[in-house]
């Protein structure tokens, strides 16, 4: 059974717990910190997006479509469907000569941003697929099809050449043959891929510092494209999530130029920790952190609390960043009168591997 990471406490009474697994590795795959099962099999879901985007970058998409960093960032995102996200994608489509009517990601539950959803409902406007959190990822397939002259219809099917190209890039990022990938269907209709949690962390360590991948590792060929994608995400955190209550965005703003965070459904998150000084930790190398909450965390509180606490223990957040992220570190539930009802409390020790082996 996975260890308890977060306890939901109401006036001293433990109401429920969130169990899960956490692992931190460097770009060579060396384990640094861990708690629980580092080999737990997880589906990548939206954590795959920065790596799949490499397919478009390597195909010459930046030059062909004059892509701006914000446009790269939104194609690696799970955005909130706010107007800024829609405008960014629509501008890209106009320049590339792509119709947004081709988007096949659906509209269920979108937009994620509550203020935008309320405004649309008030105005009697139904959200279109462009407001879906995965419309940026779907745009990668549409642009690849435009660039290569492929028929964009049914770009989401397994045999479409854009899917084949994307799948091959994911396989390279995870150092496995494409025909060995274990796949499933994601919520937006695209394929998703399954890997051990430690391999998710390793991929994000590579994103943190692509140049740190040894030349003997075939994944080192991804470095130029991943560097462009990482820098675009760092420069545009509000494209990665949104302006309101999105942990990925908030963490990247709390620790600018130090973290790239990307969530996936069912409470998976990968965090790229860029090289540099850490708080209380004598280690400046780039690493990747992967976190999985066992129960899927429908309220987000377990994922929020565990992620911020794990980064604190890894020395990636200073006191100022922790204050900025206090709402996520110990998420609170309040009653209609503003009184504190319950609090999610992270409670675990992410010990260094060397200490675990003693």
């Amino acid at each position: 059974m996975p260890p308890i990471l977060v306890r939901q406490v109401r006036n001293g009474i433990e109401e429920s717990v969130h169990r899960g697994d956490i692992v931190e590795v460097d770009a060579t795959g060396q384990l640094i910190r861990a708690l629980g099962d580092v080999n737990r099999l997880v589906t990548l879901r939206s954590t795959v997006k920065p790596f799949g985007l490499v397919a478009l970058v390597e195909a010459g998409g930046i030059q062909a479509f004059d892509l701006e960093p914000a446009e790269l960032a939104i194609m690696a995102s799970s955005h909130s469907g706010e107007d800024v996200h829609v405008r960014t994608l629509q501008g890209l489509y106009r320049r590339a000569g792509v119709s947004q009517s081709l988007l096949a990601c659906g509209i269920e539950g979108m937009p994620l941003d509550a203020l935008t959803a309320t405004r649309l409902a008030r105005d009697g406007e139904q959200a279109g697929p462009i407001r879906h959190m995965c419309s940026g990822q779907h745009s990668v397939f549409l642009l690849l099809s435009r660039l290569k002259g492929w028929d964009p219809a049914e770009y989401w099917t397994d045999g479409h050449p854009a899917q084949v190209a994307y799948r091959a890039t994911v396989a390279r990022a995870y150092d496995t043959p494409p025909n060995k990938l274990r796949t499933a269907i994601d919520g937006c209709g695209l394929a998703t891929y399954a890997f051990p949690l430690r391999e998710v962390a390793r991929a994000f360590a590579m994103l943190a510092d692509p140049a740190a991948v040894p030349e003997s590792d075939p994944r080192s060929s991804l470095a130029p494209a991943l560097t462009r994608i990482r820098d675009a995400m760092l420069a545009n955190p509000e494209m990665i999530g949104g302006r309101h209550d999105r942990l990925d965005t908030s963490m990247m703003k709390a620790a600018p130029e130090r973290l790239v965070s990307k969530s996936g459904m069912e409470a998976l998150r990968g965090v790229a920790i860029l090289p540099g000084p850490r708080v209380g930790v004598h280690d400046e190398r780039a690493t990747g952190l992967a976190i999985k909450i066992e129960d899927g965390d429908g309220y987000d509180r377990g994922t929020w609390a565990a992620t911020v606490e794990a980064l604190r223990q890894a020395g990636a957040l200073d006191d100022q960043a922790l204050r900025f992220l206090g709402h996520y570190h110990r998420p609170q539930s309040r009653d209609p009168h503003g009184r504190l009802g319950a609090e999610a409390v992270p409670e675990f020790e992410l010990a260094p591997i060397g200490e675990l082996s003693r």
Side-chain angles (χ1 to χ4, degrees):
M1 184 177 293
I4 293 173
L5 301 181
V6 179
R7 301 178 187 275
Q8 179 74 356
V9 179
R10 189 176 298 271
N11 195 28
I13 302 166
E14 181 180 282
E15 290 190 310
S16 58
V17 298
H18 297 283
R19 298 177 180 271
D21 307 289
I22 306 175
V23 59
E24 182 185 12
V25 307
D26 67 12
T28 68
Q30 179 182 347
L31 288 171
I32 299 171
R33 294 175 181 82
L35 182 63
D37 183 4
V38 302
N39 292 310
R40 178 197 175 109
L41 188 69
V42 297
T43 50
L44 298 183
R45 307 297 295 270
S46 289
T47 65
V48 76
K49 292 174 179 178
F51 307 98
L53 178 55
V54 169
L56 179 63
V57 174
E58 289 188 336
I62 293 178
Q63 297 77 16
F65 303 118
D66 194 22
L67 297 178
E68 297 290 337
E71 294 165 341
L72 280 178
I74 203 165
M75 287 190 284
S77 80
S78 296
H79 63 78
S80 294
E82 300 166 57
D83 290 350
V84 64
H85 303 128
V86 171
R87 288 195 300 268
T88 300
L89 286 170
Q90 287 178 334
L92 170 59
Y93 290 162
R94 284 194 298 269
R95 197 165 61 253
V98 172
S99 172
Q100 70 182 60
S101 66
L102 293 167
L103 281 169
C105 47
I107 60 172
E108 184 178 359
M110 301 298 153
L112 291 180
D113 181 61
L115 292 176
T116 303
T118 299
R119 192 196 78 228
L120 294 176
R122 181 197 66 201
D123 296 343
E125 179 182 346
Q126 184 178 29
I130 199 168
R131 292 193 186 270
H132 193 285
M133 64 180 177
C134 294
S135 61
Q137 181 188 22
H138 282 244
S139 300
V140 175
F141 300 96
L142 292 175
L143 291 186
L144 271 173
S145 298
R146 177 70 171 169
L147 182 62
K148 296 292 188 178
W150 299 326
D151 183 353
E154 297 189 342
Y155 66 83
W156 47 272
T157 57
D158 288 344
H160 192 279
Q163 284 288 332
V164 173
Y166 196 97
R167 186 162 58 245
T169 303
V170 173
R172 285 173 59 208
Y174 279 83
D175 195 23
T176 190
N179 63 351
K180 297 293 185 182
L181 287 169
R182 186 167 179 180
T183 65
I185 299 175
D186 208 336
C188 65
L190 299 176
T192 187
Y193 311 91
F195 288 98
L197 191 64
R198 67 186 297 172
E199 293 303 321
V200 178
R202 186 175 181 181
F204 276 85
M206 179 172 61
L207 180 64
D209 188 5
V213 180
E215 290 186 7
S216 58
D217 188 331
R219 303 184 314 157
S220 64
S221 64
L222 299 166
L226 279 178
T227 300
R228 297 288 295 269
I229 293 165
R230 178 203 64 188
D231 291 349
M233 296 175 77
L234 286 169
N236 297 276
E238 290 185 346
M239 289 295 170
I240 306 308
R243 295 176 173 178
H244 309 118
D245 230 14
R246 297 298 303 278
L247 179 56
D248 287 336
T249 293
S250 295
M251 286 199 306
M252 293 170 67
K253 293 174 74 171
E257 304 298 319
R258 288 303 314 276
L259 300 176
V260 175
S261 178
K262 187 68 206 71
S263 63
M265 293 297 288
E266 296 300 324
L268 175 68
R269 175 170 275 104
V271 183
I273 307 173
L274 275 67
R278 300 200 188 190
V279 180
V281 176
H282 301 293
D283 190 346
E284 297 191 1
R285 64 186 148 167
T287 62
L289 190 74
I291 301 150
K292 171 66 177 176
I293 301 297
E294 172 78 7
D295 58 25
D297 195 24
Y299 293 96
D300 285 331
R301 65 195 182 206
T303 312
W304 286 357
T307 299
V308 176
E309 176 63 16
L311 287 168
R312 184 195 71 80
Q313 293 188 30
L317 297 173
D318 60 20
D319 289 343
Q320 181 176 347
L322 286 169
R323 286 193 295 272
F324 184 86
L325 297 170
H327 163 62
Y328 301 100
H329 196 188
R330 295 172 71 103
Q332 296 180 345
S333 300
R334 295 187 175 272
D335 76 355
H337 310 287
R339 296 177 300 180
L340 176 63
E343 188 173 38
V345 181
E347 189 176 294
F348 60 87
E349 182 179 359
L350 188 60
I353 295 298
E355 294 180 11
L356 292 176
S357 62
R358 291 174 186 169

